[in-house]
């Protein structure tokens, strides 16, 4: 339950579920199906609940060597720990309660698309070091529905971010993936950055669309059904030229709105892969 991670900015990841009912078309975690005998295409249609996750996590945490007890733990990397079933199983909450009870001194970083995380503000507030990230890809609920089929609406996520800030919890926004149309609609990306700033959040990660072929295969049917212009935009998303233009736009907007870009770059999995995944 406490798995070493190569992700930027996290040392360990905790995933209480396998699968994710939010079913985002661009999700890179669709490969997780192989652990539960599900094909990639079925991502979003199954969910395996690790019912003993909290007990196993407690055991793993207690076994963590002393010199690792300041590591950053991310909840979660290949599922959303606050998706609907979390209301019933309360595994994310149980993991947080364990971290609180064990007085874990490292940073506990949470990342979700769900306002359900607000349920756990009491436990989160009691953690020594913490931050909650909300993934925001657009301010437009319609576009959200197109790509993030069953995830909470963009407007609800922005409100959740504001509520977390009002509760005094350190927050960040995760703007990823950067939808390709922003290259031609800077105003829409600017609106997103402005709204994040207005919510009280200053810090953000930004990530390009991961265009690995297994991901594009899931996105393609959606793009095919859309306006022909959308198809052209998504095709261009694979080029370095496109990524460079978007990265530049992000840099300008971050500066203009007084935001803090984590890692000082736009995360690019295509580049990371080319450089052996260690960037
Ligand atoms: S919420 Fe996250 S883990 Fe779940 S499908 Fe969407 S991108 Fe994947």
């Amino acid at each position: 339950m406490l798995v070493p991670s190569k992700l930027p900015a996290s040392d360990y990841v905790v995933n209480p579920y396998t699968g994710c009912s939010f079913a985002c078309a661009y999700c890179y975690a669709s490969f997780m199906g192989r652990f539960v005998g599900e094909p990639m295409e079925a991502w979003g249609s199954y969910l395996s609940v690790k019912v003993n996750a909290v007990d196993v996590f407690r055991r793993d945490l207690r076994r963590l060597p002393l010199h690792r007890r300041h590591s950053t733990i991310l909840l979660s990397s290949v599922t959303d720990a606050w998706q609907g079933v979390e209301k019933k199983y309360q595994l994310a909450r149980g993991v947080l309660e364990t971290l609180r009870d064990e007085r874990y001194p490292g940073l506990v970083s949470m990342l979700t698309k769900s306002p359900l995380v607000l349920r756990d503000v009491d436990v989160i507030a009691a953690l020594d070091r913490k931050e909650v990230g909300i993934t925001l890809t657009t301010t437009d609920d319609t576009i959200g529905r197109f790509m993030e089929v069953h995830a909470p609406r963009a407007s609800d996520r922005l409100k959740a971010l504001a509520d977390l800030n009002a509760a005094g919890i350190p927050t960040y926004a995760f703007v990823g993936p950067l939808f390709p149309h922003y290259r031609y609609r800077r105003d829409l990306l600017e609106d997103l950055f402005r709204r994040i700033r207005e919510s009280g959040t200053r810090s953000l990660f930004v990530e390009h669309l991961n265009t690995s072929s297994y991901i594009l295969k899931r996105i393609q049917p959606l793009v095919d059904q859309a306006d022909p212009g959308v198809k052209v935009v998504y095709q261009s998303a694979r080029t370095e030229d496109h990524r460079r233009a978007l990265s530049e736009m992000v840099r300008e907007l971050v500066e203009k709105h007084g935001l803090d870009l984590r890692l000082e770059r736009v995360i690019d999995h295509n580049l990371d892969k080319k450089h052996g995944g260690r960037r």
Side-chain angles (χ1 to χ4, degrees), residues 145-164:
R145 272 287 153 273
F146 176 61
M147 277 288 164
E148 300 161 339
V149 188
H150 299 301
R153 290 181 308 180
S155 49
D156 292 336
R157 289 185 234 166
L158 270 164
K159 183 171 180 320
L161 199 57
D163 290 348
L164 287 162

Side-chain angles (χ1 to χ4, degrees), residues 124 129-133 164-165 167-172 201 262:
I124 295 169
R129 295 177 58 214
K130 65 272 183 176
E131 61 177 11
V132 179
L164 287 162
N165 285 319
I169 305 291
T171 61
Y172 66 95
T201 293
R262 298 256 189 116

Side-chain angles (χ1 to χ4, degrees), residues 115-162:
L116 182 58
V117 71
L118 288 160
R119 176 200 64 185
D120 298 330
V121 156
D122 57 330
V123 189
I124 295 169
L127 294 171
D128 198 12
R129 295 177 58 214
K130 65 272 183 176
E131 61 177 11
V132 179
I134 298 284
T135 302
L136 285 157
T137 52
T138 175
T139 55
D140 182 338
D141 288 340
T142 326
I143 293 178
R145 272 287 153 273
F146 176 61
M147 277 288 164
E148 300 161 339
V149 188
H150 299 301
R153 290 181 308 180
S155 49
D156 292 336
R157 289 185 234 166
L158 270 164
K159 183 171 180 320
L161 199 57

